[in-house]
Amino acid sequence: MSGFGRLRAARESVGLWFAPERVRSEGTTPDYRFSLANERTFLAWIRTALALIGGGFAVDQFLTDHLTQWVRAALALALLAGGVLCCLRAVNHWVRSERAIRLGRSLPASRFPALLAVLVAVLGLAMVVVVVFGWAG
């Protein structure tokens, strides 16, 4: 697929985020339990995003005396960025899964959970280093 084709597909995918009636018009109505399970998964992703965003604000606001400015900013921004990505990925995955359920296709595979786990693990290790060595400004 060319760059232009990928851009068009991405634009259409984002358009579906705000057009649930278009998603519902595809395929057949599934057993409602599948749609509700998909929604619960979406909400779990949103809770994860909120936790990451809250952690980013906590690092920025409450570790002012314990970290140098650049360490605090780097940790806070990484957590905030992870939260934003998690929100965007949550809605994208919800739409893709809902379409697959309605069309009787396999659920979409995603590398995002692994990437998010690695991000959280790296940030956790960075925070362990900060706590152990106490990088005070």
Side-chain angles (χ1 to χ4, degrees):
M1 183 183 292
S2 70
F4 182 70
R6 277 189 229 125
L7 183 61
R8 182 186 300 165
R11 196 176 95 218
E12 183 175 323
S13 179
V14 170
L16 289 175
W17 296 2
F18 304 101
E21 66 281 351
R22 281 184 50 207
V23 174
R24 286 195 179 123
S25 69
E26 294 181 320
T28 60
T29 302
D31 182 337
Y32 69 90
R33 292 175 291 183
F34 297 119
S35 290
L36 292 175
N38 188 31
E39 187 175 323
R40 284 191 302 274
T41 302
F42 167 77
L43 293 172
W45 280 102
I46 295 298
R47 286 191 300 273
T48 301
L50 287 170
L52 290 168
I53 291 169
F57 278 120
V59 166
D60 185 57
Q61 294 297 310
F62 299 117
L63 297 181
T64 56
D65 296 337
H66 305 289
L67 300 177
T68 60
Q69 175 64 27
W70 72 269
V71 171
R72 190 175 84 235
L75 290 173
L77 288 173
L79 287 165
L80 291 167
V84 169
L85 289 173
C86 195
C87 279
L88 296 175
R89 185 63 182 135
V91 70
N92 187 52
H93 186 74
W94 176 81
V95 167
R96 291 174 59 218
S97 294
E98 193 66 25
R99 288 181 80 197
I101 290 168
R102 296 185 71 81
L103 297 171
R105 296 182 183 157
S106 296
L107 293 177
S110 176
R111 291 184 187 100
F112 189 76
L115 294 172
L116 183 62
V118 168
L119 172 71
V120 171
V122 167
L123 289 171
L125 288 173
M127 290 180 182
V128 166
V129 169
V130 166
V131 168
V132 169
F133 293 106
W135 288 352

